[in-house]
């Protein structure tokens, strides 16, 4: 008879356990997120090209090698992997709530009389005798099981929320990964640009040394005043003064590359010492349509998963408004001797239903709070989408502007070079003054550095465009935490 109430509760509980309160998550469409059909700037909207390993498009093996080292050893990436592992464990813990908990216990004890402890007995012949009862042994075994029936799906909504949180952590890892790839490539480009500017400055310094020598000879010959000599000295000193700052900039970029690859700042100095040209990528990139941003950008997909997690939390809070059913049981065995411990076994089965009657509106307030959190997650999702589109359009315009600037600086460099050659020849022949020569060579150095800057800007704008398009990871695979990883080395997550 004692089993009938529990069976009665189960008959009604099992059908209810198939439902889950709270809203079901619905993915948002591109129009709901404010995604336009086309970009507002001129863009190549052909099908988006494969950008998983975009750094290889620069055709610079050293750049590719350094990016790969950053992928494997960067500490920011390693930290994101640890956060991904934590999110996986949270999901495992939440899933455990779907199953019963079982515990077992065993005990042994012995009792001894410390004082007294004698028993007086009258024998059949009428004599009275006393004897000590001595110590006693006691052994026990037990097992307990408890199960909280998920009547209204609160636990399942919690699992749903934890799963979305785990997936969001995977996309957060991918966001860190592609950011580190882009930062590594950008610093490599800037290091090469600093080398080119240093070469320009040293070349100009050599010419100005020669000009100063010529000016000194002409002053000694009485052909010109000392003004030419002082102008030459001033120009030479100004150019020489720019070299230390360029060397400091170069050192900063190389040091940053060392840290990005998980090493000491000076780890790559010897490797990058040889001067190489600025890596140049393709002139254009097939960007696809704006709606592809919803799938390709990991930060957008993380925001979408955060919205799914927040939506599931509404169900978790709503389930607290309804009754809860707990079922449990225990088995116990005990004896004063191990050989007879299973002679007597007792069992217990129980069930209980609990319902909050009054909590001054706390639970309903928690539901409203979860709804507000979901509304905020949607707004954050939409903001992330719009920011991603802004990044793409700005990168496209920056790349196009750098390309136009490079074309103009090439013209300026050609003209400045011709002007400097003519001015140098005329000054040596006494046909012009030193001011004209000085201005011509200053224009030449400015045009050389302008071209280097435009080339560097073009490469960094291309890198930024690859980053804004979500390049550098496989968007067809949701990153997952590795089964095992060391705490002292930077591991990468599955799916990269």
């Amino acid at each position: 008879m004692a089993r009938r109430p529990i069976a009665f509760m189960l008959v009604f509980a099992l059908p209810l356990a198939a439902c889950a309160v709270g809203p079901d998550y619905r993915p948002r469409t591109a129009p709901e997120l404010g995604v336009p059909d086309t970009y507002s700037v001129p863009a190549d909207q052909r099908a988006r090209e494969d950008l998983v390993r975009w750094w290889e498009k620069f055709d610079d093996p050293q750049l590719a090698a350094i990016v790969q080292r950053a992928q494997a050893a960067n500490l920011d990436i390693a930290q994101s992997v640890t956060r991904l592992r934590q999110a996986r464990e949270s999901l495992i813990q939440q899933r455990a709530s779907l199953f019963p908990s079982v515990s077992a216990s065993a005990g042994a004890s012995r009792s001894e009389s410390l004082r007294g402890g004698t028993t007086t007995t009258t024998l059949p012949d009428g004599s009275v005798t006393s004897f000590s009862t001595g110590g006693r042994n006691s052994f026990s075994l037990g097992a307990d099981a408890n199960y909280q029936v998920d009547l209204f799906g609160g636990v399942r909504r919690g699992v749903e929320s934890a799963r979305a949180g785990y997936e969001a952590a995977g996309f957060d890892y991918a966001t860190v990964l592609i950011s580190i790839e882009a930062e590594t490539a950008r610093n490599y480009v800037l290091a090469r640009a600093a080398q080119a500017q240093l070469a320009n400055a040293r070349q100009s310094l050599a010419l100005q040394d020669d000009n100063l020598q010529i000016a000194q000879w002409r002053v000694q010959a009485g052909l010109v005043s000392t003004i030419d000599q002082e102008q030459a000295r001033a120009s030479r000193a100004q150019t020489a003064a720019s070299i230390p700052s360029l060397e400091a900039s170069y050192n900063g970029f190389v040091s940053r590359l060392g840290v990005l690859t998980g090493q000491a700042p000076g780890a790559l100095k010897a490797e990058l010492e040889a001067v190489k040209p600025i890596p140049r990528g393709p002139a254009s990139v097939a960007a696809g349509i704006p709606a592809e941003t919803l799938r390709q950008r990991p930060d957008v997909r993380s925001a979408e998963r955060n919205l799914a997690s927040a939506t599931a939390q509404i169900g978790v809070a709503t389930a607290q408004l309804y009754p809860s059913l707990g079922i449990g049981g225990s088995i116990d065995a005990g004896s004063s001797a191990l050989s007879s411990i299973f002679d007597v076994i007792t069992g217990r089965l129980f069930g209980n239903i609990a319902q909050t009657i009054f909590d001054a509106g706390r639970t309903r307030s928690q539901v409203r709070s979860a709804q507000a959190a979901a509304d905020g997650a949607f707004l954050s999702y939409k903001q992330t989408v719009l920011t991603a589109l802004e990044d793409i359009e700005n990168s496209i315009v920056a790349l196009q502007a750098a390309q136009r600037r490079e074309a103009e600086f090439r013209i300026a460099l050609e003209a400045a070079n011709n002007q400097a050659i003519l001015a140098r020849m005329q000054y040596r022949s006494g046909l012009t003054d030193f001011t004209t020569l000085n201005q011509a060579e200053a224009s030449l150095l400015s045009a050389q550095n302008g071209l280097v800057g435009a080339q560097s800007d073009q490469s960094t704008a291309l890198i930024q465009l690859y980053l804004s398009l979500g390049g550098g990871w496989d968007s067809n695979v949701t990153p997952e935490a590795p089964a095992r990883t060391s705490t002292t080395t930077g591991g990468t997550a599955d799916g990269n």
Side-chain angles (χ1 to χ4, degrees), residues 163-336:
R163 182 181 296 110
Y166 176 41
E167 293 170 345
F171 294 129
D172 288 340
Y173 154 79
T175 300
V176 174
L177 174 67
I178 68 174
S179 297
I180 293 300
E181 292 166 348
E183 186 179 358
T184 301
R186 186 180 68 85
N187 278 275
Y188 180 86
V189 168
L190 294 176
R192 294 307 185 193
Q195 284 182 331
Q197 290 177 331
L198 275 169
N200 291 339
R202 287 165 178 160
Q203 180 183 8
S204 178
L205 185 63
L207 290 174
Q208 289 173 356
D209 283 337
D210 186 47
N211 292 339
L212 176 59
Q213 184 67 52
I214 294 174
Q216 290 173 341
W217 289 339
R218 291 173 65 82
V219 169
Q220 292 173 358
L223 299 176
V224 296
S225 68
T226 57
I227 294 178
D228 285 11
Q229 179 179 337
E230 296 305 315
Q231 284 184 330
R233 287 180 59 208
S235 297
R236 192 253 178 218
Q238 289 174 354
T239 301
S242 69
I243 292 178
S245 62
L246 291 173
E247 290 174 337
S249 296
Y250 170 75
N251 181 80
F253 298 135
V254 176
S255 296
R256 185 62 188 149
L257 286 172
V259 174
L260 286 170
T261 54
Q263 304 175 84
L268 298 180
K269 287 185 177 179
E271 181 178 342
L272 295 174
E273 185 177 4
V275 178
K276 290 186 178 180
I278 298 172
R280 311 296 302 278
S284 63
V285 178
I289 60 175
E292 291 185 8
T293 304
L294 302 180
R295 183 186 64 85
Q296 188 66 36
R297 286 268 298 225
D299 57 337
V300 170
R301 294 182 67 174
S302 174
E304 185 272 336
R305 289 288 82 199
N306 286 331
L307 173 58
S309 177
T311 303
Q313 283 297 321
I314 299 175
V316 174
T318 304
Q320 302 302 312
L321 296 171
Y322 297 93
S324 61
L325 171 62
I327 299 173
S330 64
I331 298 176
D332 296 288
S335 175
S336 60

Side-chain angles (χ1 to χ4, degrees), residues 6-21 149-153 156 325:
I6 297 176
F8 179 77
M9 287 188 291
L10 289 175
V11 168
F12 287 93
L14 291 177
L16 287 172
C19 68
V21 296
V149 181
D150 191 21
L151 285 178
F152 298 97
R156 278 171 286 140
L325 171 62

Side-chain angles (χ1 to χ4, degrees), residues 339-369:
S339 59
S340 60
I341 194 171
F342 294 111
D343 288 353
V344 179
I345 299 176
T346 61
R348 185 166 66 101
L349 185 65
F350 60 87
N352 68 280
I353 293 180
Q355 169 66 60
T356 300
I357 302 299
F358 177 75
D359 63 358
R362 179 187 296 111
T363 304
R364 293 190 180 277
S365 176
Q366 291 171 346
V367 174
R368 294 192 297 271
S369 176

Side-chain angles (χ1 to χ4, degrees), residues 103-114:
S103 61
S105 62
S109 64
R110 177 175 176 81
S111 61
E112 293 283 354
S113 299
L114 299 179

